[in-house]
């Protein structure tokens, strides 16, 4: 008697569901660039999408509550002189985003809370080094202000964004770098290149640890580090069939798993959830999202299911776990761009009957605080990213759970931080908005000047409400004064108009009065002369 044992997994029944159209984002002109990028980046505050723009490159930033049809004249982030190729939100500050462009410049932007009210053209800092287009930007997972950029000049540069300085320069790639990824604590770096090879580097020194042939096909390949140290890659074989593989860093030449999927031409982007060890494969031009679970037992990469849609996808972004809805057992949320301008929101959930917090579905996830500074990292210190329990961020409200905001800030650093400096009176909010929005940058204009000053007080919710009420009153006063000024201007215009109409009549009256006075004077002088003659 034979029987089949079904593999036990709590994610075996994960299913995807697209939200209604009115809960999605419509009328978005997604970039038509041929560069292999996801064209989308998302965090718990904002959704950023690279869009078509005349006269340069731009991307749109939308708060999550601004759903529906987006106005054609919606404000953009548009400071680049060439098309934007890649964007990435800072994992330690939800208001900071980096962008790479065909103009060879990397720009770091500060987005105010609530989104943009006008087009943003002034970045916080420009990172200028690359000689050709920059198609890859990547933040360090645990070190504050550490950003990796790679361009078509075959150069990989690691920056300290806070000071605008280059920390590491890697120039050993013979061709274009397709992808790059740090491991869990940021002590290793894996890259894939157009020469079909996968390489592992020491990111502090730029020394090559190992290299091997990745996939035999000539099309773009991708590689990511998994949480426990293995490497997952996607690419093509010689017959242009799409495939994925799982490798150990110390044996790159011998894949643990190598599986062919299909014969589509689109590059597959592996989106990884480190909390659940699930990998979502999203191909450019595909109408499906395949998801797998990585486990220690063979076959190691287990196929779970496929989410099917009717429209091919142009780009896609994955929400960090701290932005998922724990009340519905949501384990992943995708923002998927179609060619027709619709950004579709897809929720991946695990069906559970209980309304209580499911601890087995939500292990400790990445927090928005940095574990170490850029200076500590380049000096040789490694640290795992700071994690927290989603249960710590929720409070019971009528049997459900809602997120509770927590103000967090890092202590002041001795080195000056460009991201802490305001961009002038005409710019948008700087470090203050970052601190108020839960970012991890210390407030202040110059950390060196404030080194001996007492620490800034953390505002309570009552103080914030008071400040908001005062701002609301000031706005009302400004609106009232503007209406009064408009009324006075209209009255003055009407008075000037009436005065110009009455001018000819008054001039004629003045002329007749003048003639009458002249005749009276002549009569008086004649009478006086006659009287003199009589005397």
């Amino acid at each position: 008697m034979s029987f089949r044992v079904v593999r036990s997994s709590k994610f075996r029944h994960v299913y995807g569901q697209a939200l209604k159209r009115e809960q999605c984002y419509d009328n978005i002109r997604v970039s038509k660039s041929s560069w292999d990028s996801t064209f989308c980046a998302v965090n718990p505050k904002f959704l950023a999408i690279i869009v078509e723009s005349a006269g340069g490159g731009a991307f749109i930033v939308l708060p999550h509550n601004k759903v529906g049809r987006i106005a054609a004249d919606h404000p953009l982030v548009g400071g680049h002189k060439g098309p934007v190729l890649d964007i990435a939100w800072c994992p330690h500050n939800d208001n900071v985003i980096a962008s790479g462009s065909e103009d060879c410049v990397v720009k770091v932007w500060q987005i105010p809370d609530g989104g943009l009210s006008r087009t943003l053209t002034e970045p916080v800092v420009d990172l200028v080094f690359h000689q050709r287009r920059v198609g890859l930007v990547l933040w360090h997972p645990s070190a504050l202000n550490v950003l990796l950029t790679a361009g078509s000049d075959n150069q990989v540069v690691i920056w300290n964004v806070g000071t605008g300085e280059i920390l590491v320069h890697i120039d050993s790639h013979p061709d274009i770098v397709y992808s790059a990824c740090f491991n869990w604590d940021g002590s290793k770096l894996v890259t894939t290149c157009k020469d079909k090879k996968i390489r592992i580097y020491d990111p502090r020194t730029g020394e090559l640890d190992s290299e091997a042939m990745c996939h035999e096909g000539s099309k773009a390949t991708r590689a990511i580090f998994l949480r426990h140290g293995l490497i997952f890659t996607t690419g093509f074989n010689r017959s242009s069939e799409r495939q994925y593989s799982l490798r150990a860093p110390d044996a790159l030449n011998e894949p643990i798993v190598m599986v062919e999927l299909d014969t589509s031409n689109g590059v597959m982007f592996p989106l990884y959830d480190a909390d659940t060890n699930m990998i979502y494969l999203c191909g450019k031009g595909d109408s499906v999202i395949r998801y797998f679970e990585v486990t220690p037992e063979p076959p190691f990469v287990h196929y779970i299911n496929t989410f099917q849609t009717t429209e091919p996808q142009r780009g896609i972004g994955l929400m960090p776990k701290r932005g998922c809805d724990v009340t519905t057992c949501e384990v992943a949320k995708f923002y998927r761009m179609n060619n027709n301008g619709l950004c579709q929101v897809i929720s991946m959930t695990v069906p559970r009957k209980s309304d209580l917090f499911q601890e087995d579905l939500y292990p400790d996830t990445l927090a928005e605080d940095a574990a170490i500074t850029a200076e500590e990292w380049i000096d040789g210190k490694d640290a795992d990213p700071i994690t927290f329990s989603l249960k710590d961020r929720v409070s019971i409200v009528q049997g459900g759970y809602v997120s509770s905001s927590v103000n967090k800030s890092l202590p002041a650093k001795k080195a000056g931080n460009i991201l802490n400096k305001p961009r002038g009176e005409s710019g948008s909010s700087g470090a203050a908005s970052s601190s108020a929005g839960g970012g991890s940058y210390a407030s202040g204009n110059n950390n060196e000047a404030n080194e001996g000053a007492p620490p800034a007080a953390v505002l309570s919710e009552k103080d914030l409400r008071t400040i908001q009420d005062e701002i609301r009153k000031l706005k009302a006063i400004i609106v009232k004064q503007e209406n009064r000024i408009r009324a006075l201007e209209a009255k003055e215009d009407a008075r000037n108009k009436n005065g110009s109409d009455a001018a000819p009549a008054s001039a004629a009256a003045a002329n007749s009065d003048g003639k009458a006075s002249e005749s009276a004077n002549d009569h008086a002088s004649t009478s006086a002369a006659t009287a003199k003659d009589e005397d």
Side-chain angles (χ1 to χ4, degrees):
M1 180 178 180
S2 63
F3 61 93
R4 181 183 177 187
V5 177
V6 179
R7 186 180 67 91
S8 175
S9 172
K10 53 181 171 288
F11 302 109
R12 195 158 53 90
H13 300 291
V14 170
Y15 71 98
Q17 185 175 10
L19 301 188
K20 296 179 180 179
R21 194 179 185 96
E22 55 267 21
Q23 296 175 292
C24 300
Y25 307 83
D26 205 353
N27 194 34
I28 297 176
R29 304 184 306 274
V30 184
S31 173
K32 297 179 181 178
S33 173
S34 60
W35 187 257
D36 290 324
S37 172
T38 57
F39 296 134
C40 177
V42 61
N43 68 14
K45 277 190 179 181
F46 301 106
L47 167 67
I49 302 172
I50 302 175
V51 296
E52 282 291 306
S53 175
F59 58 94
I60 190 170
V61 176
L62 301 170
H64 288 297
N65 58 0
K66 191 176 180 61
V67 294
R69 187 174 181 84
I70 307 300
D73 58 348
H74 191 280
L76 304 174
V77 180
H80 284 286
K81 297 180 180 178
V84 178
L85 300 179
D86 195 20
I87 52 177
W89 288 104
C90 177
H92 309 125
N93 190 330
D94 287 343
N95 295 78
V96 173
I97 187 172
S99 60
S101 168
E102 284 191 6
D103 61 5
C104 310
V105 180
V106 178
K107 295 179 183 288
V108 181
W109 311 85
Q110 183 104 25
I111 308 298
D113 286 335
L116 300 175
S117 58
R118 57 181 178 178
T119 296
L120 182 62
T121 57
E122 292 296 328
V124 179
V125 60
D126 286 328
L127 305 178
V128 181
F129 174 82
H130 293 280
Q131 301 300 313
R132 297 184 65 186
R133 61 185 179 181
V134 181
L136 176 64
V137 291
L138 174 69
W139 292 92
H140 194 279
S142 58
L144 179 66
N145 293 345
V146 176
L147 178 69
L148 179 145
T149 63
S152 296
D153 54 1
N154 310 338
Q155 308 296 310
V156 176
V157 182
I158 299 178
W159 305 80
N160 182 350
V161 176
T163 59
E165 299 171 346
I166 294 177
L167 298 178
V168 183
H169 176 212
I170 302 174
D171 60 353
S172 59
H173 290 90
D175 215 324
I176 297 176
V177 178
Y178 281 142
S179 71
C181 182
F182 289 102
N183 65 346
W184 179 248
D185 62 357
S187 60
K188 296 294 181 182
L189 176 70
V190 62
T191 64
T192 58
C193 184
K194 195 175 180 180
D195 65 350
K196 306 179 184 179
K197 287 189 176 181
I198 179 173
R199 295 174 172 86
I200 298 179
Y201 288 91
D202 183 345
R204 294 188 185 87
T205 62
E207 295 180 356
L208 180 64
D209 290 346
S210 61
E211 67 177 355
M213 182 65 68
C214 187
H215 293 272
E216 296 180 348
S218 58
K219 296 180 182 179
T221 57
R222 296 265 164 178
I224 58 172
F225 261 114
L226 303 186
R227 180 166 184 169
H228 301 296
L230 297 180
I231 297 175
F232 186 89
T233 68
T234 61
F236 297 80
N237 60 14
R238 290 183 179 178
S239 304
S240 294
E241 292 179 334
R242 295 196 298 189
Q243 56 184 190
Y244 66 81
S245 71
L246 187 67
R247 305 166 189 255
D250 52 355
L252 289 179
N253 283 317
E254 300 176 0
I256 302 172
V257 173
M258 179 77 78
V259 178
E260 280 76 24
L261 281 177
D262 54 26
T263 56
S264 179
N265 295 324
V267 176
M268 285 193 300
F269 299 100
L271 302 178
Y272 177 57
D273 181 1
D275 301 335
T276 60
N277 250 359
M278 290 184 63
I279 296 176
Y280 301 85
L281 294 185
C282 311
K284 200 171 183 180
D286 288 359
S287 58
V288 298
I289 299 176
R290 299 180 178 91
Y291 40 103
F292 304 79
E293 183 181 3
V294 181
T295 62
E297 66 273 4
F300 305 107
V301 181
H302 300 269
Y303 169 76
I304 297 179
N305 208 341
T306 299
F307 174 76
Q308 183 80 37
T309 60
T310 57
E311 294 288 336
Q313 57 205 14
R314 177 72 182 155
I316 196 163
L318 175 63
M319 169 74 78
K321 187 58 67 68
R322 56 192 172 92
C324 292
D325 183 9
V326 300
T327 63
T328 59
C329 298
E330 184 179 66
V331 294
K333 183 183 289 186
F334 292 94
Y335 291 76
R336 182 178 174 278
M337 273 80 63
N338 298 337
N339 291 323
N340 57 6
L342 175 67
C343 178
Q344 194 176 26
V345 184
I346 300 171
S347 174
M348 296 285 185
T349 58
V350 176
R352 291 285 176 91
K353 293 182 179 180
S354 175
D355 292 334
L356 300 177
F357 181 77
Q358 305 294 315
E359 295 187 4
D360 60 329
L361 297 182
Y362 299 102
D364 289 356
T365 189
L366 294 175
E368 58 267 69
D369 294 328
I372 54 177
T373 63
E375 292 77 11
E376 292 173 339
W377 177 78
I378 198 64
D379 288 340
K381 182 178 179 181
D382 288 327
D384 289 342
I386 296 177
T387 59
F388 75 104
S389 173
L390 287 173
K391 192 174 183 179
D392 298 339
R393 284 271 185 99
V394 298
S395 57
I396 299 177
V397 177
Q398 294 180 354
Y401 294 92
V402 296
S403 297
S404 58
S405 60
V406 179
N407 291 327
K408 295 185 178 181
S409 61
L410 289 178
K413 295 167 53 182
K414 292 184 179 180
N417 188 338
I418 293 178
L419 293 182
N420 287 343
K421 296 180 180 179
R423 299 198 300 269
E425 295 179 358
S426 61
S428 60
S429 58
S433 68
S434 167
S435 177
S440 56
Y441 294 100
S443 61
N445 196 14
N446 192 338
N447 291 329
E448 293 177 352
N450 295 336
E451 188 176 351
V458 179
L459 294 177
S460 64
E461 293 185 3
K462 183 178 180 181
D463 294 335
L464 289 176
R465 284 197 296 269
T466 304
I467 293 173
Q468 291 173 354
D469 292 339
E470 293 294 332
I471 293 174
R472 220 173 279 117
K473 291 177 183 178
L474 288 174
K475 287 182 178 179
I477 293 174
I478 291 172
V479 171
K480 183 178 179 181
Q481 294 299 328
E482 285 182 350
N483 294 335
R484 179 172 171 270
I485 290 171
R486 289 195 189 97
L488 291 174
E489 288 177 348
K491 192 179 296 184
E492 186 66 22
D493 292 341
R495 185 182 300 167
N496 292 337
K497 185 177 180 180
N498 293 334
S500 61
D501 293 341
S506 60
N511 191 16
S512 61
D513 292 342
K515 290 180 179 180
S517 60
E518 285 181 6
S519 61
N521 291 334
D522 293 341
H523 179 72
S525 59
T526 304
S527 302
T530 305
K532 187 176 181 181
D533 293 339
E534 289 177 355
D535 292 339

